[in-house]
Each structure stands twice: as structure tokens, then as C-alpha cells.
Amino acid sequence: MIILPTWPGATKAVPSVLDFGGILQPTSGAATQRFNRLGNRYGVAFEMPRLENADEGRIWVNRLVRGLSAGARMEYPLLDFDPGTPGAFVVNGAGQAGTMLNVRGGAPFYQFKEGQPFNILIDGTYFLDFIAADTNANGSGAATITLSQMLREQPADGDPLLITQPVVEGWVVGDRLSWELALNRSVGLAFEIHEAR
């Protein structure tokens, strides 16, 4: 997994849901139905500022080229959202599935906010998701959070959550990876990362 630089950050990020479900359209004119499948995940398209080729540009290009075959990890932009001081939340109990996740070990009374991005680290992979509803941890730092997507893999008891600076991790995708070399000796880059699992 290739870690992309944290500076400079992207000037534009366009997150998307990679949805493997669909709408069933009966030919009879009956009511449509939503067919959900396990495995929905996220992708993010990034646009970078002009990068000085002598310093940042060549490093970004090299890491993205390597990320085509090895995968890449990039910080998810929080914009003006401040996740506060959550403590060290971990998964509370094995065998969990669905959209509810029991967690423990965080700061007492920490407030999870609807739409808040975070990661669950499962077997070395960072899974991106969002909090579906406001939730407060109790005085012991335990909570049951609701996820926007169903868990794609079962986390183990004690798997950590990354809350203060979540990431998107997966494959660099698209028809091609290309970059612009401008006469002012800067590099222009745009790329997209899709979660692999």
C-alpha cells in the first residue's frame, strides 16, 4: 500500500458510493423494489493544486504510478468538521455484522455526529464509512454506533477506529493515469481511489 503525501492537500474531492445493489423494475407495472447487496463501499476523486515539479510533483507522480499496482491511501478531507478528542475507540466484541457496531475505549461522553467519516482497521485494511445518526458514548467510553453502510467484513474484538483523520484506501482507478507537465515547471494531477473491499 502506497501512502500518498499529506501536503499539499487536494483542492477538490468528490466522494461517491460504489453501489452494488439496484432497483428492480417489473415489466408488469407493479411497484419497484430496492435490491441491496453486501459490499457497497466508497470512492473519492481528487484534484490537486499545481505542484512544483522539482519537489512535490515528481514524488506525487511516482507514488500514484506505484499505487496503480500496490494500492494507495489518501487522507479523507474533513473540511470544517472537527472530530474533537475521541480517545482510542476499538471494536467491542467479535462477530458483529449489519449496520450497528459496538465500540469501547473512547473518551467518556464523546459525541459521534451524523455524517462523520471514520475508518475501521480490519486485518490491516482501512474501511471508510460514515456515522448514520448522532450517538453519545457513555461515561465508560462505550457506545453503539450506526453505520451508513453494512459492515463488509467482520471486525475482530479490539480492532481500532480511526476518527481524527480518516483515509480512503484502495486502487487508483480510471482509463489511465496521466499528468500535465506545464512550462512553468509545475505538475497538474487528478486521480481517483476506489476502496478494494
Side-chain angles (χ1 to χ4, degrees), residues 19-26 31-36:
D19 183 12
F20 296 94
I23 304 294
L24 299 176
Q25 300 273 5
T32 59
Q33 295 180 13
R34 168 71 189 177
F35 181 69
N36 294 313

Side-chain angles (χ1 to χ4, degrees), residues 8-9 19 30 49 54 56 60 70 77 79 84 87 101-102 110 119 121 129 138 143 150 173 181 183 188-189:
D19 183 12
E56 301 143 344
W60 273 91
L79 296 181
L101 183 66
N102 297 314
Y110 178 75
N119 296 110
L121 181 58
D129 208 342
N138 64 22
M150 289 188 288
V173 299
L181 297 174
L183 294 179
L189 276 174

